[in-house]
Amino acid sequence: MIPSFLHNGFGVGGGELWSDLNPRLVIGSVVCCLDPTQRESKLRLFLMCAPPHAAVDDGLKNLESGHGTERILSKAVHDEIPDLLTQSPEHLKKQKEYESRIMANIQKMTVHKELKRKMDHDPVGIILHEKPGLLDGLGRVRDLEEQSGVARKSVVMENQLKHKIVHLDLKGAPPKIEYLKKLFPLLRSFGATGVLLEYEDMFPFWGKLELLSAHNAYAKGDIADIMEIAKKNSLEVIPLVQTFGHMEHVLKLKEFAELREVPNYPQVICPTNNKTIPLIKMMIDQILEMHPGIDWLHIGSDEVYNLGECTRCQQYLLHQQFGKNDLFLHHVKKVSRYIKENYDVQPIMWDDEFRKIPLKAIEDSQVGQLVEIMVWKYSTGIMVDLRSDMWEKYSSVFNGIWIASAFKGAANPESYITNINDRLGNHKEWMEIFDLYVSTIHFRGIVLTGWQRFDHFAVLCELLPQAIPSLAVNLMFISERKADHGALARVGDALKCNSFINLDLQYLEYANKCDFPGSAVYEVAQKLFILKRDIDTMLHNPHVTGWITDYNIEHSFASPQHVEQGLQDLSMLLFDYSKLMTDAETALSDVYDEYTVKEWISFNVKPTHNKLQKMYVSSTKLQEKTHWPRRPLDAELTKEL
């Protein structure tokens, strides 16, 4: 039999007779070890097996690590635990109760002492990870905190990740200012400390740059309102202005086409064109004029796919004896130096181009003295793709290192609903990265990106309001490192949802009704997903795939019975879908202007609605048919025969 203290809360089955247990071995002792050098407080269980009459304490001496604090059941306690295989049931029961009390006291004292030590001596702050089977045996960390008088927020210290920035991708779908007035307080309540505003063509450029703004861009007064709303909610504002790659909103225009690195590709600007730097400086000047008092400016510079390809750049590389990496570094240094020398603002840029540049080239350029780096990865597999040598390179060069996850817009370019479980997986891996390197890298903060388009030419993807639950769940996880039932229930309560938040779309059976800014858009997205899934099921019904194909409809040749059976839900689905179109227009109009509403419905709703209407008309005609021609059905083939 296995003693009780080996299974209470440690995920080890107890009270069972192990058929494969060597009868000559018994459990010797339990070690509860807290390692103060680790970034995570852990309880470790060591099972020491030895012959029944061996001195267990002698075996425990081999566990000394030289830096941990070990709390071992004393030999006195061991002496009071005779051979468990030979005791009476009454004695065993009494002995188990005694052991449980001993273990409970040890666990309580060690955890409380470790919590106090961390709070007194660790300025960074450590989070106790709550893993299944690890802390459950302690009666949950929260219970211990209540017993010791330690508040939860003392464990999850605010300084652990000082900056938690929410990225608002505004290109092509700028929310109304009235909506942002409701959204910003909500972001703050979830633990966000700032917003990263990527305007692109939604910024109200003026003068020579007026053509860069979309017709439905924000006005200058709107930008002032955004700054005021952010200030009222204690949210840091970090604007983002593209300065190298992803400059489609500039280079698509005839007036700026000459600045393209590749004539047919309006994405990357030519770094050696004499007009490039003056244009970028002018963009920066206008952005910073409308955002007074900020500390950071993001200068983009990711995905510079076409670099050093034009004739001008080729000649420059040859003359300067540069490589393409040198050309990249030379350009970003010019841009960042202009910001540093003319404004009291720190430039930030994406990191992906630096991943392939050797350490020596980065060091020689001294770019690390000018910019801070933002390392981004929006899927899982972060540990594989962003290896330790990359982190060593970055930490030796850059004084400020940010990390960037994604709470939406990182699945498919045409996606209209966020799968929270995928986004949560991304954030879980990022926190593992943080825990692994926090002792050697001073992370500035994290940006939770929320992409609205994959680039300027792409369609709208997941809208911001429908992703608020995802944002809330992931901000909660970053702060608490928890995504269990209780944590998700608290998020649901904060969003005033009438049911549990669905994390995985494959289990979405009905729309969750909530009451937060833009919740109607969240409900519409869920209903659209469910309806499209039901429609897809109908269209893949064998009655449809076998008897109601385009061929059958074209030749008016189908079995009325199969048509009736295959499309029995068509009328209901068409009705529900028509209602959804109306609901979508109403919901989106509360958040967006008419152009965004029209674009979203035209792409995400209308095509399926038109398909259903066409199928309804065709099915009606097929069912009205009472006589059919002889084969072959193709008229031209019939003539040939």
Side-chain angles (χ1 to χ4, degrees):
M1 301 295 289
I2 298 179
S4 61
F5 59 78
L6 293 184
H7 65 86
N8 288 337
F10 290 92
V12 180
E16 303 170 355
L17 181 61
W18 285 4
S19 59
D20 58 343
L21 182 65
N22 189 334
R24 296 180 56 80
L25 301 179
V26 296
I27 302 300
S29 186
V30 175
V31 178
C32 177
C33 176
L34 278 167
D35 187 346
T37 68
Q38 299 297 315
R39 306 305 298 178
E40 162 181 30
S41 183
K42 301 178 180 178
L43 285 172
R44 294 175 179 163
L45 185 68
F46 295 87
L47 307 184
M48 302 300 299
C49 295
H53 303 293
V56 176
D57 283 358
D58 291 340
L60 292 177
K61 294 178 182 179
N62 297 326
L63 292 176
E64 285 292 329
S65 62
H67 59 266
T69 301
E70 298 187 1
R71 295 197 175 275
I72 306 172
L73 287 177
S74 66
K75 191 174 188 304
V77 174
H78 169 70
D79 290 340
E80 292 185 29
I81 305 179
D83 190 344
L84 297 178
L85 300 178
T86 61
Q87 302 307 309
S88 66
E90 293 78 12
H91 185 89
L92 285 175
K93 180 179 180 181
K94 185 176 181 180
Q95 187 61 52
K96 288 178 182 179
E97 293 175 353
Y98 177 72
E99 297 162 5
S100 296
R101 291 196 303 271
I102 293 288
M103 287 302 299
N105 288 334
I106 290 176
Q107 294 163 353
K108 180 178 178 180
M109 288 187 297
T110 54
V111 171
H112 177 60
K113 182 176 180 180
E114 182 66 0
L115 290 175
K116 188 176 186 303
R117 188 189 69 80
K118 293 294 184 185
M119 289 184 289
D120 290 343
H121 303 291
D122 191 350
V124 177
I126 305 302
I127 287 182
L128 288 179
H129 292 260
E130 184 171 293
K131 298 181 179 179
L134 183 62
L135 297 179
D136 290 21
L138 305 182
R140 314 296 286 179
V141 170
R142 182 175 298 167
D143 293 340
L144 288 181
E145 292 164 0
E146 292 174 355
Q147 294 172 20
S148 61
V150 180
R152 176 76 180 170
K153 65 180 180 180
S154 297
V155 184
V156 187
M157 293 186 179
E158 196 68 30
N159 288 336
Q160 191 230 4
L161 264 173
K162 183 177 181 181
H163 298 286
K164 293 182 278 290
I165 311 295
V166 176
H167 170 240
L168 300 181
D169 184 9
L170 305 172
K171 56 178 176 280
K176 295 178 179 178
I177 299 300
E178 289 303 313
Y179 177 73
L180 296 180
K181 288 180 180 179
K182 301 173 185 176
L183 177 66
F184 280 22
L186 190 66
L187 299 182
R188 186 62 189 177
S189 70
F190 289 150
T193 63
V195 287
L196 175 64
L197 302 177
E198 184 165 355
Y199 294 104
E200 204 182 76
D201 60 346
M202 292 301 135
F203 184 78
F205 291 104
W206 64 87
K208 294 181 180 180
L209 302 182
E210 184 178 358
L211 290 175
L212 304 187
S213 300
H215 292 297
N216 63 332
Y218 288 121
K220 287 185 177 181
D222 295 330
I223 305 300
D225 287 342
I226 291 174
M227 293 295 290
E228 183 63 25
I229 300 167
K231 182 179 180 181
K232 286 183 178 178
N233 291 280
S234 301
L235 293 173
E236 188 100 33
V237 173
I238 305 177
L240 188 153
V241 55
Q242 299 291 357
T243 59
F244 212 160
H246 283 299
M247 292 196 67
E248 299 95 336
H249 69 293
V250 177
L251 301 177
K252 71 177 182 180
L253 302 170
K254 180 180 179 180
E255 291 79 2
F256 299 97
E258 63 175 310
L259 300 182
R260 299 173 187 171
E261 179 68 17
V262 178
N264 294 334
Y265 299 162
Q267 183 189 31
V268 177
I269 198 165
C270 174
T272 61
N273 192 302
N274 293 333
K275 297 180 181 180
T276 291
I277 291 298
L279 169 66
I280 291 174
K281 288 180 178 179
M282 197 179 305
M283 293 170 62
I284 291 171
D285 291 341
Q286 292 191 10
I287 289 283
L288 291 178
E289 181 176 337
M290 295 301 299
H291 297 83
I294 62 172
D295 294 324
W296 287 281
L297 176 67
H298 202 302
I299 60 173
S301 304
D302 63 318
E303 298 181 337
V304 187
Y305 295 138
N306 310 114
L307 178 62
E309 297 184 15
C310 73
T311 303
R312 183 191 298 269
C313 284
Q314 290 289 333
Q315 293 176 348
Y316 182 83
L317 292 175
L318 183 63
H319 182 264
Q320 297 290 333
Q321 294 187 331
F322 270 10
K324 290 187 177 182
N325 290 337
D326 301 308
L327 182 61
F328 174 82
L329 293 169
H330 183 68
H331 178 74
V332 298
K333 281 177 59 181
K334 274 188 177 181
V335 174
S336 55
R337 182 179 291 113
Y338 175 76
I339 298 170
K340 294 275 283 188
E341 291 179 353
N342 292 275
Y343 300 94
D344 186 21
V345 174
Q346 173 63 53
I348 307 172
M349 59 183 294
W350 300 114
D351 85 296
D352 51 301
E353 293 298 328
F354 284 103
R355 297 175 194 177
K356 56 192 177 186
I357 302 179
L359 172 61
K360 188 176 187 308
I362 302 176
E363 289 178 332
D364 291 346
S365 72
Q366 298 183 329
V367 69
Q369 299 176 15
L370 298 171
V371 301
E372 295 185 356
I373 204 77
M374 188 171 287
V375 187
W376 62 273
K377 177 71 176 175
Y378 308 141
S379 62
T380 53
I382 299 176
M383 200 76 73
V384 175
D385 294 338
L386 306 180
R387 301 191 306 271
S388 59
D389 56 338
M390 185 207 75
W391 293 107
E392 291 173 4
K393 178 171 71 174
Y394 286 173
S395 63
S396 66
V397 174
F398 299 102
N399 294 325
I401 298 178
W402 301 72
I403 56 179
S405 58
F407 73 91
K408 81 174 186 76
N412 300 303
E414 77 282 5
S415 177
Y416 60 88
I417 187 170
T418 303
N419 193 322
I420 301 178
N421 201 45
D422 292 343
R423 301 296 94 232
L424 183 58
N426 176 239
H427 286 86
K428 286 181 177 180
E429 289 197 12
W430 265 123
M431 292 303 97
E432 291 176 0
I433 289 287
F434 176 85
D435 291 337
L436 185 62
Y437 294 108
V438 68
S439 60
T440 56
I441 298 176
H442 176 62
F443 290 105
R444 184 78 71 186
I446 184 171
V447 170
L448 296 85
T449 64
W451 300 100
Q452 194 53 81
R453 300 182 193 271
F454 273 34
D455 71 15
H456 183 81
F457 289 98
V459 297
L460 290 171
C461 56
E462 305 152 34
L463 293 176
L464 173 61
Q466 66 79 39
I468 294 300
S470 174
L471 178 60
V473 166
N474 287 294
L475 276 171
M476 172 274 303
F477 181 80
I478 290 172
S479 298
E480 300 186 18
R481 304 299 179 85
K482 294 176 65 178
D484 57 13
H485 182 90
L488 294 175
R490 292 199 304 277
V491 173
D493 290 342
L495 297 177
K496 300 178 182 178
C497 298
N498 65 353
S499 59
F500 202 70
I501 293 176
N502 180 280
L503 296 186
D504 201 320
L505 292 177
Q506 66 176 317
Y507 303 117
L508 181 62
E509 298 298 332
Y510 55 88
N512 188 6
K513 293 180 179 292
C514 303
D515 185 15
F516 59 83
S519 58
V521 178
Y522 173 54
E523 186 176 346
V524 163
Q526 294 176 92
K527 288 181 177 179
L528 180 61
F529 179 85
I530 295 170
L531 271 175
K532 284 194 172 184
R533 184 178 58 194
D534 292 343
I535 292 168
D536 188 65
T537 299
M538 178 188 70
L539 295 179
H540 285 84
N541 185 306
H543 294 289
V544 176
T545 59
W547 284 269
I548 321 175
T549 65
D550 290 341
Y551 180 85
N552 294 104
I553 294 172
E554 180 183 351
H555 294 86
S556 298
F557 193 81
S559 167
Q561 184 176 9
H562 282 287
V563 174
E564 192 175 298
Q565 290 177 325
L567 301 179
Q568 58 184 334
D569 295 330
L570 178 58
S571 296
M572 180 187 66
L573 290 173
L574 183 56
F575 174 82
D576 290 343
Y577 212 85
S578 298
K579 184 177 185 304
L580 179 72
M581 284 187 64
T582 303
D583 293 343
E585 185 172 359
T586 301
L588 268 66
S589 295
D590 288 339
V591 180
Y592 298 106
D593 62 25
E594 58 182 302
Y595 306 105
T596 302
V597 175
K598 182 178 180 180
E599 180 182 353
W600 191 86
I601 292 179
S602 296
F603 180 76
N604 291 289
V605 184
K606 274 192 175 180
T608 301
H609 186 258
N610 293 341
K611 185 176 183 179
L612 291 177
Q613 285 183 318
K614 184 178 179 180
M615 179 163 282
Y616 181 82
V617 172
S618 299
S619 66
T620 301
K621 291 181 179 180
L622 289 175
Q623 293 182 76
E624 290 174 348
K625 194 87 172 178
T626 57
H627 300 86
W628 297 269
R630 292 186 299 168
R631 296 184 188 277
L633 301 178
D634 191 290
E636 295 298 322
L637 180 59
T638 302
K639 290 179 181 179
E640 291 178 7
L641 294 176

